[in-house]
Amino acid sequence: MTDHHDTAVRPSTLAWVRGHLAAGERIVRTEALHGGISAEVRRLTIATAGGGTRDLVLRTFAGRERAPEWLVREAAALTLLAGTGVPAPRLVAVDPAAAHCEHPSLLMTHLPGRTALDDEGLEARVPLLARQLVAIHALRPAERPVAYETSTTAETVVVPDGADRAAWAAAIDVIREPPPPGEGRFLHRDFQPGNVLFDATPGGPGPVRITGVVDWAQPSWGPADLDVAHCAANLALLHGPEWGLRFAGAYEEAGGTPAAERSARRYWLVRDALSFSEEVEVVSEPWRQAGRTELTTRAVEGRLDAYVVALMGAFG
């Protein structure tokens, strides 16, 4: 087999990976995986001593001030998840301070499946996403992760050109209020279709099932509505505003426990939707790389506006 290395993987990092392989194993191929925003992700094909191959995944953070913290948190999350039914990668090694690699890095097992971002098959995937999120929120770790963080404020929201100004003004007023109290849950904090793997192609034989949940860099403790709102907003921008509202309902139908007060549910749904206004280009670029070329920045801004209007209509 011919070695084929991605030149973006630096020599020190490759040497570090080799130090965590079994005797007789070697790296024969590296392949960049698209879809990540904060980290570079690559699949490493490993030739085994017995003549077969296996895959690992390398996550590398370059130029990210909080990378060491995120990798420590991800390593802890993967360790926790190894003893649960949540399908997550298994931790192989982590170098959060870049003591051995050029940049902070984490090595983990590769999971089967693929992300599914197309409209086809969405009806079947949404209940699966909801049930998977309920299972994540049911975890009760002996040591809780750090408390959740939010960054969007009424002052940082960017109202898109041509947006419904009245609806956005009302939405911004919602997040001027302090966060509502709520029971804490174990949160993924970036649970959305781009971080979930499925095992079947749309329209293929057999039922669709989830084979993995990835990107555990920011596990947190906080209200379940944060994760619900984030997945809902992603679905709204990927597939249309109605899917954001449908996911919130699907989560409850799957046995999830959102806030009892409608005003609290509205707060988190609105807050997460508004957070996208600050990074539409950053969020939509991986979707275009994955084949959703119609999701231009302007198109996503239009969906975001429609979603904010829908939220204010549903919960106003």
Side-chain angles (χ1 to χ4, degrees), residues 37-42 58-72 74 95-96 98 102-106 215-218:
I37 295 176
S38 58
E40 297 176 353
V41 184
R42 291 176 175 82
L58 175 69
R59 272 167 60 82
T60 300
F61 289 86
R64 293 282 181 166
E65 183 179 348
R66 297 187 65 182
E69 173 198 346
W70 291 339
L71 287 182
V72 168
E74 182 159 21
D95 183 17
E102 281 82 1
H103 304 291
S105 300
L106 182 143
D215 195 352
W216 293 89
Q218 299 183 57

Side-chain angles (χ1 to χ4, degrees), residues 127 129-138 140 183 185 224 228 247-259 265:
L129 289 168
R131 289 198 290 272
Q132 184 62 75
L133 189 55
V134 170
I136 291 170
H137 291 167
R140 294 294 182 269
E183 184 180 357
R185 291 283 189 273
V228 175
F247 181 75
Y251 175 79
E252 190 169 11
E253 291 172 6
T257 53
R265 299 186 195 186

Side-chain angles (χ1 to χ4, degrees), residues 65-91:
E65 183 179 348
R66 297 187 65 182
E69 173 198 346
W70 291 339
L71 287 182
V72 168
R73 290 168 66 179
E74 182 159 21
L78 296 184
T79 301
L80 164 69
L81 294 165
T84 72
V86 175
R90 180 175 56 81
L91 176 67

Side-chain angles (χ1 to χ4, degrees), residues 14 20 28 53 59 76 82 85 89 105 128 142 154 160 174 185 195 198 201 215 220 252 257 282 300 311 316:
L14 287 172
H20 293 282
V28 295
T53 62
R59 272 167 60 82
S105 300
L128 296 179
V174 168
R185 291 283 189 273
N195 285 331
F198 293 87
T201 56
D215 195 352
S220 308
E252 190 169 11
T257 53
V282 173
V300 175
L311 285 176

